[in-house]
Amino acid sequence: MTVGLIVTDLDGTFVDPLGEVSVVNREALTLAADRGVPVVVATGRPSRWLDVLEGLPGLYPEVVVSNGAGRFDLTTRRHTVVHGLDPQLALEVADDLRAAIPGTIFAFEWGERFGCEPGLQREKGDWLTEAPLAELAAISEPVLKLCAFHHELDSDALAARGRSVVGERLTMTHSHLGDYGLLEISAPGVTKAFGLAALCAELGVDPAEVAAFGDMPNDLPMLAWAGHGYAIAEGHPSLVGAGFRLTDGPQDEAVGRVIMQLLG
């Protein structure tokens, strides 16, 4: 098996539930650097949530963020690529979702900042703007994601009800499992695979040479695109049952163990 690039999701894949990186995964990064194989992070996280990557050895400096809607350079602390969605189309989709699924609350993700409707009850900070969605849409800044929250439906249930409403107008996925539902909605065709394909083309790496790791529905396009897709064994059923290779061992060491097998 020829591996020219490794790409990994973060939450539930490369980091543990506390956001920590295991010793095994750190050692695997060092091995990949020694072998000259780039390790790219592709995450649903926005650029402001990348502190976990500080001090990790051998990572490629550009991170695919917000499910492929952007690339963020860890060195310059700037987005190098942004694939924003049309705010007016986002408002149209949000109105349709709100009508079909009462109780849905919406937000815009800009990367370094976040804007939400009143009632979301998120932690406050300088990065947060709270206002009606139409006012947020008027802010002159590229929107990386439209986020739809629900306090009573989980993400799977919310996705099942929202899929036909969104249709092909925008790209809808989800990656959150917890006490509320969250849909992550990007511009048409924007996925982690989309963002990685452009990066690999720049690096001269064929998708057949890519080993990819993920655990949630937002990772499905990436694992299907890569020549070697690995689903975390404890991950979402949609990945575990999709025919990808499965990792073994504790979740927080699973990616590192496979990297060592591939490159050892």
Side-chain angles (χ1 to χ4, degrees):
M1 181 184 295
T2 300
V3 177
L5 183 141
I6 295 165
V7 57
T8 181
D9 172 51
L10 283 180
D11 298 290
T13 302
F14 200 75
V15 301
D16 67 18
L18 298 178
E20 301 292 333
V21 179
S22 68
V23 172
V24 172
N25 284 356
R26 288 175 180 269
E27 291 175 347
L29 291 179
T30 300
L31 175 62
D34 291 342
R35 298 287 192 272
V37 178
V39 178
V40 176
V41 168
T43 178
R45 291 191 186 201
S47 55
R48 66 181 179 278
W49 288 353
L50 299 180
D51 290 350
V52 66
L53 303 181
E54 292 183 7
L56 293 181
L59 282 179
Y60 189 75
E62 283 189 296
V63 178
V64 176
V65 295
S66 298
N67 291 330
R71 291 204 328 241
F72 187 78
D73 191 303
L74 295 172
T75 305
T76 64
R77 307 300 299 178
R78 293 180 179 274
H79 284 91
T80 56
V81 175
V82 172
H83 298 286
L85 55 82
D86 180 348
Q88 295 308 309
L89 178 56
L91 285 178
E92 175 186 307
V93 170
D95 286 342
D96 292 345
L97 283 169
R98 201 190 309 271
I101 314 172
T104 308
I105 302 173
F106 294 93
F108 280 142
E109 178 62 75
W110 294 298
E112 292 299 280
R113 297 194 306 111
F114 183 85
C116 68
E117 296 179 318
L120 192 56
Q121 298 179 347
R122 294 186 63 85
E123 181 182 350
K124 305 296 183 182
D126 293 341
W127 49 271
L128 176 66
T129 300
E130 190 174 72
L133 197 64
E135 292 184 19
L136 297 174
I139 294 176
S140 181
E141 190 169 346
V143 178
L144 276 70
K145 288 194 294 187
L146 169 68
C147 300
F149 295 84
H150 205 286
H151 293 310
E152 297 177 2
L153 299 173
D154 66 20
S155 296
D156 283 337
L158 192 58
R161 294 182 60 175
R163 193 168 291 112
S164 62
V165 179
V166 177
E168 300 297 320
R169 292 179 292 174
L170 296 171
T171 298
M172 188 194 81
T173 190
H174 64 290
S175 62
H176 172 79
L177 292 180
D179 56 359
Y180 62 88
L182 169 60
L183 301 181
E184 303 163 56
I185 304 171
S186 305
V190 171
T191 65
K192 289 186 181 184
F194 171 85
L196 286 164
L199 177 59
C200 285
E202 295 172 15
L203 295 176
V205 177
D206 191 280
E209 300 177 318
V210 176
F213 300 86
D215 73 313
M216 290 297 287
N218 64 329
D219 296 313
L220 268 168
M222 176 176 76
L223 268 59
W225 166 83
H228 317 289
Y230 290 85
I232 301 300
E234 299 86 355
H236 193 274
S238 63
L239 270 74
V240 174
F244 300 116
R245 299 174 178 87
L246 296 180
T247 60
D248 58 14
Q251 175 271 321
D252 66 333
E253 298 181 354
V255 175
R257 289 184 177 205
V258 175
I259 291 175
M260 289 180 177
Q261 292 171 3
L262 293 174
L263 303 181

